[in-house]
Amino acid sequence: MTMTNAIHRPDWIPASGHQLRVTGVYFDAVRIEGVRGEQVAGRLIDTTDGDAGPIVCEATGYRWMYFLLAPGEVRRHDWPLGVQQFGGKSTLSLTYIGIPALDGNTWPLRWYSEPTPEVPYVDTESLLTAAGRSG
């Protein structure tokens, strides 16, 4: 982690450990399971020269990858099969996503790609392209 990212900490990122945040407020999220999620994240990082925006991954269980989008983005698009969507005002239930701190012990969550001042959210079109090619 660079010092620039340590200084840039949006208020929805906890100072330590990890906390649950409701989707549709600070961000929308899509999640993709395991190896496929890692492949999509890898493509996204490659196509953005390493500045893909906020991607959180789980170290246990299904090893979900969570791609955090600007609020309201999820419902504006059709997503490929296997991409789960969270957020938007039209949903009947609340969904919480675990968000790790930028440093320290955040197990079982970690940042695969951190938000930056230039890229506070994952670019939706880039994510759709990366997810659509993931087979």
Side-chain angles (χ1 to χ4, degrees):
M1 177 180 57
T2 66
M3 192 55 131
T4 304
N5 287 355
I7 293 168
H8 174 72
R9 185 177 64 82
D11 59 2
W12 48 269
I13 296 178
S16 62
H18 52 81
Q19 293 183 348
L20 296 176
R21 299 286 187 239
V22 67
T23 58
V25 176
Y26 299 106
F27 54 80
D28 282 0
V30 298
R31 77 177 184 181
I32 304 172
E33 187 178 344
V35 172
R36 181 178 179 203
E38 291 170 14
Q39 291 170 342
V40 170
R43 280 192 203 101
L44 201 55
I45 288 168
D46 287 346
T47 61
T48 59
D49 293 327
D51 201 3
I55 304 171
V56 174
C57 66
E58 292 180 348
T60 60
Y62 292 107
R63 295 183 8 248
W64 293 108
M65 283 282 187
Y66 293 86
F67 300 83
L68 307 184
L69 310 171
E73 278 296 299
V74 163
R75 300 269 180 234
R76 292 186 186 135
H77 303 277
D78 291 323
W79 295 91
L81 196 61
V83 175
Q84 297 181 356
Q85 305 141 49
F86 306 101
K89 302 284 187 224
S90 63
T91 184
L92 297 176
S93 63
L94 294 178
T95 301
Y96 292 86
I97 303 291
I99 301 297
L102 293 175
D103 55 16
N105 182 7
T106 63
W107 192 90
L109 302 173
R110 71 176 177 88
W111 287 102
Y112 200 85
S113 174
E114 296 177 4
T116 63
E118 298 78 24
V119 187
Y121 301 105
V122 170
D123 178 70
T124 306
E125 293 302 324
S126 297
L127 177 57
L128 281 163
T129 298
R133 293 195 319 248
S134 64

